[in-house]
mmCIF file of all heavy atoms in Angstrom:
data_model
loop_
_atom_site.group_PDB
_atom_site.id
_atom_site.type_symbol
_atom_site.label_atom_id
_atom_site.label_comp_id
_atom_site.label_asym_id
_atom_site.label_seq_id
_atom_site.Cartn_x
_atom_site.Cartn_y
_atom_site.Cartn_z
ATOM 1 N N LEU A 689 93.051 144.112 109.353
ATOM 2 C CA LEU A 689 92.338 144.731 110.470
ATOM 3 C C LEU A 689 92.730 144.171 111.835
ATOM 4 O O LEU A 689 92.103 144.511 112.843
ATOM 5 C CB LEU A 689 90.823 144.571 110.269
ATOM 6 C CG LEU A 689 90.238 145.338 109.079
ATOM 7 C CD1 LEU A 689 88.767 145.000 108.882
ATOM 8 C CD2 LEU A 689 90.411 146.832 109.267
ATOM 9 N N GLY A 690 93.730 143.325 111.910
ATOM 10 C CA GLY A 690 94.179 142.816 113.197
ATOM 11 C C GLY A 690 93.677 141.423 113.494
ATOM 12 O O GLY A 690 92.920 140.826 112.723
ATOM 13 N N THR A 691 94.068 140.908 114.638
ATOM 14 C CA THR A 691 93.747 139.532 115.026
ATOM 15 C C THR A 691 92.292 139.417 115.461
ATOM 16 O O THR A 691 91.760 140.283 116.159
ATOM 17 C CB THR A 691 94.656 139.085 116.180
ATOM 18 O OG1 THR A 691 96.020 139.225 115.769
ATOM 19 C CG2 THR A 691 94.383 137.632 116.554
ATOM 20 N N ILE A 692 91.653 138.339 115.014
ATOM 21 C CA ILE A 692 90.301 138.008 115.466
ATOM 22 C C ILE A 692 90.426 136.821 116.409
ATOM 23 O O ILE A 692 90.879 135.745 116.018
ATOM 24 C CB ILE A 692 89.375 137.661 114.284
ATOM 25 C CG1 ILE A 692 89.203 138.892 113.377
ATOM 26 C CG2 ILE A 692 88.022 137.171 114.778
ATOM 27 C CD1 ILE A 692 88.383 138.623 112.137
ATOM 28 N N GLY A 693 90.048 137.012 117.671
ATOM 29 C CA GLY A 693 90.171 135.947 118.659
ATOM 30 C C GLY A 693 89.161 134.840 118.440
ATOM 31 O O GLY A 693 88.087 135.057 117.888
ATOM 32 N N SER A 694 89.526 133.636 118.884
ATOM 33 C CA SER A 694 88.613 132.497 118.776
ATOM 34 C C SER A 694 87.733 132.423 120.018
ATOM 35 O O SER A 694 88.214 132.538 121.148
ATOM 36 C CB SER A 694 89.406 131.198 118.623
ATOM 37 O OG SER A 694 88.536 130.078 118.678
ATOM 38 N N ALA A 695 86.441 132.227 119.801
ATOM 39 C CA ALA A 695 85.508 132.117 120.926
ATOM 40 C C ALA A 695 85.258 130.658 121.296
ATOM 41 O O ALA A 695 84.495 130.371 122.206
ATOM 42 C CB ALA A 695 84.179 132.796 120.562
ATOM 43 N N ARG A 696 85.941 129.742 120.609
ATOM 44 C CA ARG A 696 85.675 128.321 120.839
ATOM 45 C C ARG A 696 86.458 127.803 122.046
ATOM 46 O O ARG A 696 87.596 128.214 122.284
ATOM 47 C CB ARG A 696 86.088 127.524 119.598
ATOM 48 C CG ARG A 696 85.501 126.132 119.546
ATOM 49 C CD ARG A 696 86.295 125.227 118.626
ATOM 50 N NE ARG A 696 87.523 124.743 119.265
ATOM 51 C CZ ARG A 696 88.394 123.932 118.672
ATOM 52 N NH1 ARG A 696 88.190 123.541 117.449
ATOM 53 N NH2 ARG A 696 89.484 123.530 119.305
ATOM 54 N N ASN A 697 85.853 126.893 122.807
ATOM 55 C CA ASN A 697 86.553 126.225 123.907
ATOM 56 C C ASN A 697 87.500 125.160 123.357
ATOM 57 O O ASN A 697 87.565 124.932 122.139
ATOM 58 C CB ASN A 697 85.551 125.579 124.865
ATOM 59 C CG ASN A 697 84.893 126.600 125.772
ATOM 60 O OD1 ASN A 697 85.382 127.715 125.922
ATOM 61 N ND2 ASN A 697 83.786 126.229 126.381
ATOM 62 N N GLY A 698 88.221 124.505 124.271
ATOM 63 C CA GLY A 698 89.085 123.405 123.867
ATOM 64 C C GLY A 698 88.272 122.182 123.473
ATOM 65 O O GLY A 698 87.043 122.170 123.548
ATOM 66 N N VAL A 699 88.965 121.135 123.038
ATOM 67 C CA VAL A 699 88.290 119.917 122.572
ATOM 68 C C VAL A 699 88.666 118.738 123.460
ATOM 69 O O VAL A 699 89.661 118.774 124.196
ATOM 70 C CB VAL A 699 88.645 119.600 121.103
ATOM 71 C CG1 VAL A 699 88.036 120.633 120.177
ATOM 72 C CG2 VAL A 699 90.165 119.517 120.912
ATOM 73 N N LEU A 700 87.848 117.709 123.392
ATOM 74 C CA LEU A 700 88.141 116.433 124.056
ATOM 75 C C LEU A 700 88.806 115.521 123.034
ATOM 76 O O LEU A 700 88.255 115.300 121.944
ATOM 77 C CB LEU A 700 86.846 115.797 124.582
ATOM 78 C CG LEU A 700 86.032 116.648 125.570
ATOM 79 C CD1 LEU A 700 84.739 115.923 125.957
ATOM 80 C CD2 LEU A 700 86.854 116.982 126.802
ATOM 81 N N ILE A 701 89.972 115.005 123.361
ATOM 82 C CA ILE A 701 90.773 114.230 122.418
ATOM 83 C C ILE A 701 90.902 112.799 122.928
ATOM 84 O O ILE A 701 91.199 112.574 124.110
ATOM 85 C CB ILE A 701 92.183 114.843 122.268
ATOM 86 C CG1 ILE A 701 92.087 116.336 121.967
ATOM 87 C CG2 ILE A 701 92.980 114.122 121.191
ATOM 88 C CD1 ILE A 701 93.397 117.078 122.130
ATOM 89 N N ALA A 702 90.682 111.829 122.052
ATOM 90 C CA ALA A 702 90.818 110.418 122.434
ATOM 91 C C ALA A 702 92.273 110.113 122.779
ATOM 92 O O ALA A 702 93.188 110.447 122.023
ATOM 93 C CB ALA A 702 90.334 109.522 121.305
ATOM 94 N N SER A 703 92.472 109.450 123.914
ATOM 95 C CA SER A 703 93.834 109.154 124.367
ATOM 96 C C SER A 703 94.376 107.859 123.792
ATOM 97 O O SER A 703 95.582 107.620 123.818
ATOM 98 C CB SER A 703 93.865 109.075 125.904
ATOM 99 O OG SER A 703 93.021 108.013 126.353
ATOM 100 N N GLU A 704 93.491 106.988 123.288
ATOM 101 C CA GLU A 704 93.945 105.710 122.723
ATOM 102 C C GLU A 704 92.913 105.223 121.707
ATOM 103 O O GLU A 704 91.776 105.686 121.676
ATOM 104 C CB GLU A 704 94.130 104.668 123.821
ATOM 105 C CG GLU A 704 92.868 104.352 124.603
ATOM 106 C CD GLU A 704 93.125 103.319 125.693
ATOM 107 O OE1 GLU A 704 93.979 103.566 126.565
ATOM 108 O OE2 GLU A 704 92.463 102.264 125.658
ATOM 109 N N GLY A 705 93.331 104.288 120.870
ATOM 110 C CA GLY A 705 92.444 103.731 119.863
ATOM 111 C C GLY A 705 91.564 102.634 120.430
ATOM 112 O O GLY A 705 91.845 102.065 121.484
ATOM 113 N N GLY A 706 90.490 102.347 119.717
ATOM 114 C CA GLY A 706 89.558 101.305 120.146
ATOM 115 C C GLY A 706 88.150 101.652 119.725
ATOM 116 O O GLY A 706 87.939 102.303 118.701
#
Side-chain angles (χ1 to χ4, degrees):
L689 293 174
T691 303
I692 296 176
S694 173
R696 197 201 78 180
N697 283 343
V699 291
L700 302 177
I701 309 166
S703 62
E704 60 181 58

